[in-house]
Amino acid sequence: MDTFSGYHPLINFTYFVIVIGLSMFYMHPVFLVLSLIGSVSYSVYLKGRKTVKVFLLGMLPVCLLAAVANPLFSHAGATMLFYLKDGNPVTLESIVYGLASGLMLAGVISWFSVFHEVMTSDKFMYLFGKVIPAFSLLLSMTLRFVPRFTAQIKRVAEAQQCIGRNVNNGNIFQRAAHGLKILSITTTWALENSVETADSMKSRAYGLRGRTNFSIYRFDRRDGMLLAFLVGVFGTLLFCMHLRKLKILYFPVFIMNETTAGALILYILYGILCMLPLILNIAEDRKWRSLRSEI
């Protein structure tokens, strides 16, 4: 059981908006590293150790590729390291910015993978069904489309394999034809499913004024305390950024704020924010084990 997923959908959505927003729009190196650590740690807790393999084989090469590719296209920066054969300079600032961009991309992708696990379609419908019903239904269908499409294409491939039409049977042209057949069947299923879903929601008077909605979610005192904490931390970070307590400049010269006591407190605060779901889960697991030991 994921403790953080058990909180009110408003808490889950607010948390992801804060951490993903800060990861995307504030490229401070310390913040980027803390964000990546927090997202990968939570992903490992939810999905198991296979996430580490995905990170090492997928996201880590992205970081390194961005650090290598950015200096080839961006030559801004004052610290020249060497010149390429075409005469373009490679600067330290462009390498650092490329590495920061890679960290940002890996962190955001990791956060969105966790977001997909926590923010289920029913939570989206609960939050936005009354405000923007058409968009919430479209967004809910979009979020669940990829996993359902992947599962369906596996089932179709297994069925086709029974009659010798899998992508591993025959020569290269026959394999391509079998693959296209599987894709065609799955695409037809997806289109029919979307039409059936639209008809089903229409028959339930979805989106009409006055329609009541059943909900299993209740905003309690625990949710209020966590929401106050999230808003307080986010407000504190924004206020300190506005006061230039934390600053970062990549061009023309790489400049970062000194590691003062105030900056260290902000780093710790942001680290707690990024690790918050994991902290809540670990605390709940320890409480559960303690209760079981007393039985």
Side-chain angles (χ1 to χ4, degrees), residues 23-295:
S23 300
M24 292 177 61
F25 300 109
Y26 194 67
M27 293 181 59
H28 194 287
V30 179
F31 275 33
L32 294 176
V33 172
L34 292 174
S35 176
L36 183 60
I37 293 175
S39 60
V40 172
S41 300
Y42 189 30
S43 182
V44 170
Y45 183 88
L46 290 178
K47 304 177 185 179
R49 296 181 179 179
K50 64 179 183 180
T51 305
V52 179
K53 182 180 179 180
V54 174
F55 173 75
L56 294 177
L57 299 180
M59 290 183 287
L60 186 59
V62 170
C63 298
L64 299 177
L65 180 62
V68 173
N70 187 70
L72 301 179
F73 301 97
S74 175
H75 309 291
T79 308
M80 302 292 179
L81 297 180
F82 57 89
Y83 287 89
L84 300 174
K85 292 183 178 180
D86 57 1
N88 289 318
V90 175
T91 63
L92 176 63
E93 288 78 12
S94 61
I95 295 177
V96 174
Y97 185 80
L99 183 59
S101 300
L103 289 173
M104 182 270 290
L105 181 60
V108 170
I109 292 175
S110 184
W111 277 122
F112 269 111
S113 68
V114 176
F115 177 87
H116 177 73
E117 295 290 330
V118 176
M119 288 299 299
T120 56
S121 59
D122 58 328
K123 291 184 178 181
F124 264 103
M125 299 292 287
Y126 170 77
L127 288 177
F128 304 106
K130 294 182 179 179
V131 183
I132 40 177
F135 178 75
S136 62
L137 178 60
L138 178 62
L139 187 60
S140 174
M141 293 176 63
T142 303
L143 288 175
R144 67 176 185 171
F145 173 76
V146 174
R148 292 191 65 192
F149 190 86
T150 304
Q152 181 66 17
I153 204 170
K154 289 181 180 179
R155 287 193 290 266
V156 174
E158 291 174 355
Q160 290 292 306
Q161 187 176 12
C162 296
I163 57 177
R165 294 181 180 177
N166 196 17
V167 292
N168 297 323
N169 301 118
N171 55 41
I172 185 172
F173 298 103
Q174 291 175 330
R175 292 181 182 182
H178 296 162
L180 291 175
K181 183 68 174 180
I182 294 172
L183 182 61
S184 175
I185 294 173
T186 312
T187 303
T188 303
W189 166 85
L191 294 174
E192 292 177 351
N193 184 263
S194 62
V195 173
E196 292 174 358
T197 302
D199 292 340
S200 175
M201 299 304 291
K202 184 178 180 179
S203 65
R204 300 174 189 178
Y206 178 76
L208 295 182
R209 181 176 299 179
R211 178 181 181 271
T212 58
N213 297 276
F214 171 76
S215 173
I216 61 174
Y217 303 110
R218 294 293 182 270
F219 194 90
D220 54 20
R221 182 172 175 269
R222 182 189 66 164
D223 298 312
M225 293 176 60
L226 189 57
L227 180 61
F229 173 78
L230 293 176
V231 173
V233 171
F234 184 57
T236 301
L237 292 173
L238 289 182
F239 181 72
C240 294
M241 292 174 188
H242 177 71
L243 296 179
R244 308 287 292 178
K245 299 297 182 181
L246 294 175
K247 59 181 180 180
I248 182 67
L249 182 67
Y250 288 96
F251 301 107
V253 180
F254 179 75
I255 300 175
M256 192 176 74
N257 59 278
E258 298 181 357
T259 309
T260 61
L264 188 60
I265 292 175
L266 293 177
Y267 295 155
I268 295 174
L269 195 61
Y270 185 70
I272 294 175
L273 178 66
C274 293
M275 299 294 292
L276 182 62
L278 192 61
I279 293 173
L280 294 174
N281 280 297
I282 292 176
E284 188 68 20
D285 291 343
R286 293 186 61 182
K287 181 180 179 181
W288 176 246
R289 285 195 296 266
S290 177
L291 292 175
R292 290 186 61 184
S293 63
E294 294 176 0
I295 298 178

